[in-house]
Amino acid sequence: VDLRELGEFGLIGALRRRAGAPASAWAAGIGDDAALLRPRAGWERALTVDALIEDVHFRWRTTDPRALGRKALRVNLSDLGAMGARPLGFLLALGLPSATPAARLRGFVDGLLAEARSAGCPLVGGDTVRAPCWSLAITALGEVPQGRALRRSALRAGERLFVTGELGASALGLHILESGGPRSAAERRFARRHQLPPARWRVGAALLAARLARAALDVSDGLAQDLGHLCAESGVGADVELDALPTAPGFAALCRRRRLDPAALAAGGGEDYELLFAVPSDAPGAALLSRRLGVRVREIGRARRGRGIRWFRGGRRVDAPRSSGFSPFKPR
Amino acid sequence: VDLRELGEFGLIGALRRRAGAPASAWAAGIGDDAALLRPRAGWERALTVDALIEDVHFRWRTTDPRALGRKALRVNLSDLGAMGARPLGFLLALGLPSATPAARLRGFVDGLLAEARSAGCPLVGGDTVRAPCWSLAITALGEVPQGRALRRSALRAGERLFVTGELGASALGLHILESGGPRSAAERRFARRHQLPPARWRVGAALLAARLARAALDVSDGLAQDLGHLCAESGVGADVELDALPTAPGFAALCRRRRLDPAALAAGGGEDYELLFAVPSDAPGAALLSRRLGVRVREIGRARRGRGIRWFRGGRRVDAPRSSGFSPFKPR
């Protein structure tokens, strides 16, 4: 199938057929000037948008189209989860070169709609246009009980900070992909972690449902930067123990072999899409929380009165790890 | 201001300050992982997204940044209006080259936020990224009384078809801009019409409030193509009188001077952003409707049993006008 022959309406028709009928939350999906979401008393609706641009956020040389489709939706589900919201549906703005290979487009759509099905988050509308490179913007919509969303502004001094899963894995994976590709099974695992981050949105909804946390965000720009946002929005500071940052087996060894600082990557590497959240000082510890949430979580520090992040190693104050946060306006 | 120095968070901060506090419909705007919209019993929420890509939908050589900012929001408000929905707010996904001139970015943001203020449609969230060319996706959110949205599937045989304003003006303006630019005040008016289409969304909300229409869409891909969508979604056909298509003063003369077929441009030219709607056969005529809606409307034909569009001229059947509809996957 050549996209120039299929045309915009051919592509929209194919997406519409494959997206199927929208869930009962929707009065209208694809096929009208706008999608229509039914009202639900007592629930706020959460909206977020994320853009992915070819050769800025991914390169086709190192990207599997199906994984990109899944990732494109996951990064948005991650934002919903960081509010504690349950996904309801999404809109896709898709810019494509005229000469896009059909298999690439099909793989992307397959991955996107597979992720949508597994999250119960149907495609309900969008726009497809010609563009010089792949440029995606996905708007995801979710819902959360009124007044109970997890907020960046809700962190309080004394609360304990936790993070899900592992940090730095995506940044190490990106380094591997950008320097010749993986050369071992271990390297392939990290590369894969960059190509397809974990889906933690259910953890946010579970934290909210169990009334365990009130403050959260997803770690997309690196822990240091994102925790900085959380502190700034809440008007507090934080103390973080570098040795407590959770990393995957083999992470430190692979970093050292590549002359990368493991702590800098764990504290500053982007695109982890792990969930950072805070619980009161008398809340359960990591072991119990991990069991209740169904995912390993690690306590990494504590919020305090004041401003900024203080870093510790084995209890002793150390300098902030060198930043390796991704800035979308600087060439990578 | 250099965008590379300002960075993503600098740009987001500037947008956040200028967007101001969101309206009372919102529990949270910019600054968290997602915006939060409060519930409202009895109202559905309408969502739509449109993408604009540099050198596909506009060229900087012929585009004023401020007008582009206004247009980017208007094309989305137009979709909301076509459902009869009132705007509530919007999300902006903005891809920009690192070397974007500061004045261009400022002009765009000025226009965008000016349009947002005049429509009561605040910026509530977004994403800003680096991209090889300007690539915008705006998601607009509106609301409409439950079960009463104007629908593409609601057109019934016998209903009379009306269109607001004037057709073909944007396509003529684009032709003027792409062939050396305007050389007279009249040509400048048409060029301007392409750069900044009319804002008809209030007409859709008024049609809904007065219970005058149940079917509508906005004419963005050309009347022939869009009326085709309306007919296909509703399972009816339509008869259209070419001589009844409303055009601006001087339109036909300027078309002929440029060897363009005025009827083909009026019936097939894209980006009019006029509203096409249907009223029952016993509804008021164009003069009374125009007064009630506050905008000139013209009766252009009638829906009938069957399929497809039949074109007439002075009551006699004629061939369909040559298509000049814009296809986003074909080079212009």
Side-chain angles (χ1 to χ4, degrees), chain B residues 183-196:
Chain B
R183 289 182 297 259
S184 68
E187 292 195 340
R188 259 192 301 282
R189 276 200 304 276
F190 286 101
R192 185 71 186 164
R193 191 62 174 253
H194 177 76
Q195 291 163 332
L196 187 59

Side-chain angles (χ1 to χ4, degrees), chain B residues 61-125:
Chain B
R61 188 167 50 74
T62 57
T63 299
D64 160 48
R66 203 181 148 83
L68 183 71
R70 300 197 76 120
K71 178 172 179 172
L73 187 54
R74 277 197 187 176
V75 301
N76 281 282
L77 296 176
S78 181
D79 280 320
L80 291 182
M83 305 294 285
R86 193 175 69 83
L88 289 172
F90 74 103
L91 304 173
L92 169 68
L94 179 58
L96 294 176
S98 305
T100 295
R104 181 175 285 177
L105 178 57
R106 199 176 315 118
F108 170 79
V109 171
D110 284 351
L112 182 72
L113 297 182
E115 188 70 24
R117 273 190 301 277
S118 76
C121 183
L123 175 64
V124 295

